């Protein structure tokens, strides 16, 4: 089977390409390098020993996307990562998010329909649940989004659901909890542009000296140590789930044309636990201060992953320790490369 990966030079896309090739799939990929770099392709070539089939295509450009599909034959399924994901930026620039995340998805669906491609795996987020009682399963009610970014994920799921009613398309929507970690080779990982918003890149950048200290956003939450709880999932485990989702579609294991799965570990860890784990596995002492709460943060969320285990035959295998170890190795690699 041949899989088109949109956003293939991004954080999760790049790791997924590695796992798809490992599992024997043919892969082609597109990206517009809006939030990634061409060097990722060279590193993917090194890891996989395969020349990655790549074209620079912007999914906002409907004509270019359609032309791309016309020029490629044999694509059986699409894994759609190409999107913007910074919550704060989405509040400041909502139109950018609606144009790229929603408009881009519509363009992609049109191009797929024209090309007769009926299988898609979509990158969704646990953000669709808002504040819910963990462990959160897939039947948990979806709450009004608290950011334009979150809203784009909800809208795209609705569009995909509508499209399953109007066509032969089959959809697997994967709701990620908190992806962290990097490939064991340290050749690919998360490449935040500017000051990172997310916890783990901020931790590694602080430890390496790029940031003076980490601010823990609030220690007065109703949790055992007062800091927020999240479900941190290793990006390689997450990537492997996409292979499982493709097999699920290929083997027609679904009951409904639109299927949704939570992807997490099933465990919650507090911000302080993440810091302690980082310090324990790396031997680095992290400079951090307790600050005020960050607007929009939910107190605690972690996944129920029973459905993914039962139907996709997938569960995580990598620990929080492994997440921290690989994130640190990646940060050190970036430094050794002059952060290029
Ligand atoms: C955020 C988004 C989520 C999105 C994901 C993408 C919100 C509310 N959620 O998840 O929708 O899919 O990013 O990557 O923005 N923290 C600190 N100090 C920091 C950074 C973070 O204490 O400098 C804490 C946060 O308060 C939170 C935890 O670390 O409790 C994780 O934060 P983060 O990595 O930003 O992820 P989420 O907010 O869970």
């Amino acid at each position: 089977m041949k899989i088109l990966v949109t956003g293939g030079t991004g954080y999760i896309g790049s790791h997924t390409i590695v796992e798809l090739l490992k599992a024997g799939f043919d892969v082609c990929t597109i990206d517009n390098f809006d939030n990634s770099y061409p060097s990722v392709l060279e590193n993917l070539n090194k890891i996989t020993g395969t020349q990655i089939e790549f074209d620079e295509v912007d999914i906002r450009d409907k004509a270019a996307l359609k032309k791309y599909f016309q020029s490629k034959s044999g694509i059986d399924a699409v894994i759609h990562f190409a999107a913007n994901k910074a919550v704060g930026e989405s509040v400041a620039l909502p139109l950018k998010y609606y144009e790229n995340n929603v408009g881009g998805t519509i363009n992609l669906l049109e191009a797929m329909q024209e090309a007769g491609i009926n299988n898609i795996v979509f990158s969704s987020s646990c953000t669709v649940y808002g504040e819910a009682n963990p462990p959160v399963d897939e039947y948990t009610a979806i709450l009004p989004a608290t950011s334009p970014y979150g809203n784009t994920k909800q809208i795209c799921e609705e569009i995909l659901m509508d499209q399953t009613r109007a066509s032969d398309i089959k959809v697997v929507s994967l709701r990620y909890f908190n992806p962290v970690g990097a490939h064991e080779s340290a050749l690919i990982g998360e490449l935040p542009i500017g000051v990172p918003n997310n916890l783990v890149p901020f931790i590694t950048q602080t430890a390496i000296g790029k940031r003076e200290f980490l601010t823990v956003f609030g220690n007065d939450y109703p949790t055992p140590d007062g800091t927020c709880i999240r479900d941190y999932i290793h990006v390689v485990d997450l990537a492997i789930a996409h292979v499982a989702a493709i097999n699920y579609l290929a083997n027609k294991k679904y009951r409904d044309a639109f299927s949704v799965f939570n992807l997490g570990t099933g465990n919650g860890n507090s911000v302080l636990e993440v810091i302690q784990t980082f310090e324990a596995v790396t031997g680095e002492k992290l400079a951090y201060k307790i600050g005020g709460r960050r607007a929009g943060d939910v107190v605690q969320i972690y996944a129920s992953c029973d459905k993914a285990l039962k139907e996709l035959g997938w569960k995580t295998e990598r620990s929080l320790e492994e997440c921290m170890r690989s994130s640190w190795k990646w940060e050190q690699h970036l430094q050794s490369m002059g952060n290029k």
Side-chain angles (χ1 to χ4, degrees), residues 85 87 125 127 149 177-179 197-200 202 214-217 228-230 232 271 294 296-298:
K85 64 146 204 168
V87 175
S125 167
T127 194
Y149 159 74
F177 282 65
N178 287 57
N197 298 302
N198 295 118
L199 178 64
V200 175
F202 211 106
L214 167 85
T215 302
V216 174
F217 296 140
C228 291
I229 290 173
R230 298 285 183 276
Y232 295 93
V271 177
R294 179 172 71 176
D297 268 340
V298 298

Side-chain angles (χ1 to χ4, degrees), residues 30-269:
I30 57 173
D31 208 301
N32 67 350
F33 300 123
D34 176 52
N35 196 18
S36 64
Y37 301 94
S39 58
V40 173
L41 291 168
E42 288 156 37
N43 290 334
L44 280 174
N45 293 344
K46 275 188 209 156
I47 294 170
T48 63
T50 311
Q51 190 72 27
I52 305 295
E53 193 178 324
F54 174 80
D55 287 270
E56 189 169 342
V57 179
D58 188 325
I59 58 166
R60 289 171 297 189
D61 185 342
K62 192 190 282 191
L65 200 53
K66 287 193 174 179
K67 211 164 135 205
Y68 175 80
F69 275 94
Q70 281 155 13
S71 72
K72 294 273 157 192
S73 59
I75 296 173
D76 299 291
V78 176
I79 307 183
H80 179 33
F81 294 105
N84 295 106
K85 64 146 204 168
V87 175
E89 185 191 48
S90 79
V91 176
L93 302 171
L95 299 182
K96 172 177 172 176
Y97 277 68
Y98 288 112
E99 186 190 21
N100 194 31
N101 295 13
V102 180
T105 300
I106 293 171
N107 290 344
L108 179 66
L109 289 172
E110 280 187 17
M112 284 175 64
Q113 188 159 312
E114 218 173 83
I117 300 164
N118 283 325
N119 293 309
I120 183 167
V121 177
F122 176 69
S123 288
S124 189
S125 167
C126 71
T127 194
V128 301
Y129 299 118
E131 187 88 64
N133 265 344
V136 172
D137 67 23
E138 291 80 355
Y139 307 99
T140 304
I142 287 181
L143 294 182
T146 53
S147 71
Y149 159 74
N151 206 22
T152 65
K153 293 296 171 189
Q154 295 192 2
I155 292 171
C156 283
E157 284 200 356
E158 286 171 7
I159 291 171
L160 287 160
M161 213 180 294
D162 288 340
Q163 186 65 357
T164 60
R165 296 186 188 115
S167 71
D168 290 332
I169 199 168
K170 305 289 180 270
V171 179
V172 173
S173 184
L174 300 177
R175 293 178 181 158
Y176 312 150
F177 282 65
N178 287 57
V180 294
H183 191 258
E184 58 182 6
S185 65
L187 288 170
I188 52 171
E190 191 168 9
L191 271 171
I193 291 175
V195 182
N197 298 302
N198 295 118
L199 178 64
V200 175
F202 211 106
I203 288 178
T204 57
Q205 289 197 5
T206 304
I208 210 131
K210 278 192 215 164
R211 312 275 156 217
E212 207 183 329
F213 59 86
L214 167 85
T215 302
V216 174
F217 296 140
N219 70 345
D220 57 352
Y221 284 99
T223 60
D225 67 20
T227 64
C228 291
I229 290 173
R230 298 285 183 276
D231 186 336
Y232 295 93
I233 169 172
H234 197 295
V235 67
V236 173
D237 280 329
L238 193 61
I240 292 168
H242 291 75
V243 178
I246 288 290
N247 284 325
Y248 182 80
L249 287 171
N251 299 324
K252 301 191 178 358
K253 291 266 180 68
Y254 43 80
R255 278 188 309 275
D256 302 310
F258 181 91
S259 316
V260 56
F261 294 98
N262 285 344
L263 298 182
T265 65
N267 298 315
N269 286 104

